[in-house]
Amino acid sequence: MLKKILINGWIVSTMLVGIAQAGPFILAGTDADDHGSVNGGGNQDGWLFMQRALENLAASPLLTNGNLKVVNLGSDNGSQAQRAAASAFSLSSLTGGGWSFVNINGDTDITNFFNGTSSDKLSNTGIIMMDSGNNVPGGSSTGERNIFTANATLIDNFLGNGGGLFSQSNGYGWVTSLLPALGVISGGGSGISLTGAGTAAFPGLTNSDLLAGPRHNRFGNTGSLPILAVDNQGSAVIIGAAGGSITNPGGPALVPEPATLALMGLGLLGFVGISRRSSQKSA
């Protein structure tokens, strides 16, 4: 009986390998930056979602480019969009890990960021943030979003080389320039719920946090991109991937939990014990 339990434990442990990790990129159809606040020293509602997204990306084992800098693109200095991004960062676990935060806005400065002629540039960035555009006061302008689209291949290569990205509902012209088959649809059904992958990816986040504001985009034809949240019609509202790039995404990365590791260890001990008995009988 013990032998059977140990064998079963080993088999189960090889199947239950952990929790989903959404990084290195998360694409949300929300405007969480317009629907959040700080209360009691902690982010609330949409800003908490933004914080959890950053923490998820920073913890991804596939965020490998080694740069500890979050760059928020397109938000006007001192605006609601910029304050939301700064709060999501400053109250996150990233601050204890040596990360820094920079806000870059304006056509010229964003262009220089991409072409590498400024001190803060794509090559020394760890995570890119993009706000929800005209859905939040001070969000990225049409001209700035056109620059994103013009540099979509650079963003894709940045992700493929181990960078991370968190973006919200800014029209996603830069994404569809890379993936024409991906449907980015305005609006969405009522309600929003985390999927199993989303619950694992954003620990401590609730559906009510996401319901703090409307979603302005939903996604169709998502292909292999993991769906992290849906509306009541089942349409994807938040999608992401653990590895690769926009054009070549990987599946969810898996990080073993302590209980899973214990089960795996128990199973392996049983496997070793069975192997020893078999060897003794053969001798």
Side-chain angles (χ1 to χ4, degrees):
M1 178 63 70
L2 178 59
K3 182 188 295 185
K4 184 178 293 185
I5 292 172
L6 291 173
I7 292 173
N8 288 340
W10 178 71
I11 293 172
V12 170
S13 69
T14 62
M15 296 172 64
L16 302 177
V17 290
I19 59 173
Q21 195 79 16
F25 65 87
I26 298 169
L27 308 178
T30 59
D31 61 345
D33 41 11
D34 195 35
H35 300 279
S37 62
V38 175
N39 186 28
N43 285 313
Q44 306 294 314
D45 303 323
W47 292 11
L48 179 60
F49 163 55
M50 295 171 64
Q51 174 187 327
R52 293 287 186 252
L54 284 179
E55 290 172 338
N56 179 279
L57 293 171
S60 172
L62 297 178
L63 189 77
T64 57
N65 72 10
N67 298 321
L68 301 181
K69 182 188 296 182
V70 175
V71 175
N72 184 55
L73 294 176
S75 303
D76 293 345
N77 291 324
S79 68
Q80 167 88 359
Q82 189 271 334
R83 290 196 304 272
S87 185
F89 171 80
S90 64
L91 294 177
S92 75
S93 59
L94 277 70
T95 57
W99 286 77
S100 61
F101 175 87
V102 176
N103 187 70
I104 299 176
N105 70 304
D107 293 2
T108 299
D109 287 347
I110 292 176
T111 297
N112 291 340
F113 168 78
F114 283 114
N115 66 26
T117 58
S118 63
S119 57
D120 295 308
K121 49 195 171 186
L122 193 62
S123 62
N124 60 22
T125 297
I127 297 173
I128 295 173
M129 291 183 74
M130 295 178 178
D131 60 38
S132 60
N134 57 13
N135 296 306
V136 59
S140 57
S141 66
T142 299
E144 290 169 331
R145 294 193 296 275
N146 287 340
I147 296 171
F148 300 163
T149 301
N151 290 281
T153 299
L154 285 180
I155 297 172
D156 198 43
N157 292 338
F158 167 77
L159 294 174
N161 289 320
L165 180 141
F166 170 51
S167 180
Q168 297 195 71
S169 55
N170 51 36
Y172 285 118
W174 66 273
V175 176
T176 53
S177 73
L178 295 168
L179 288 180
L182 178 70
V184 179
I185 306 141
S186 297
S190 60
I192 182 170
S193 302
L194 292 164
T195 63
T199 299
F202 307 125
L205 192 72
T206 67
N207 291 336
S208 62
D209 294 320
L210 295 176
L211 283 169
R215 54 251 162 265
H216 294 275
N217 293 126
R218 51 196 171 98
F219 303 97
N221 301 322
T222 56
S224 61
L225 290 170
I227 297 173
L228 307 178
V230 297
D231 62 21
N232 70 334
Q233 298 174 359
S235 298
V237 177
I238 303 173
I239 57 179
S245 61
I246 299 288
T247 55
N248 186 27
L254 297 172
V255 181
E257 294 179 332
T260 302
L261 289 172
L263 180 60
M264 187 180 296
L266 180 63
L268 289 173
L269 284 173
F271 182 74
V272 170
I274 293 167
S275 298
R276 285 181 177 174
R277 288 186 181 182
S278 298
S279 298
Q280 290 171 356
K281 287 182 179 180
S282 298

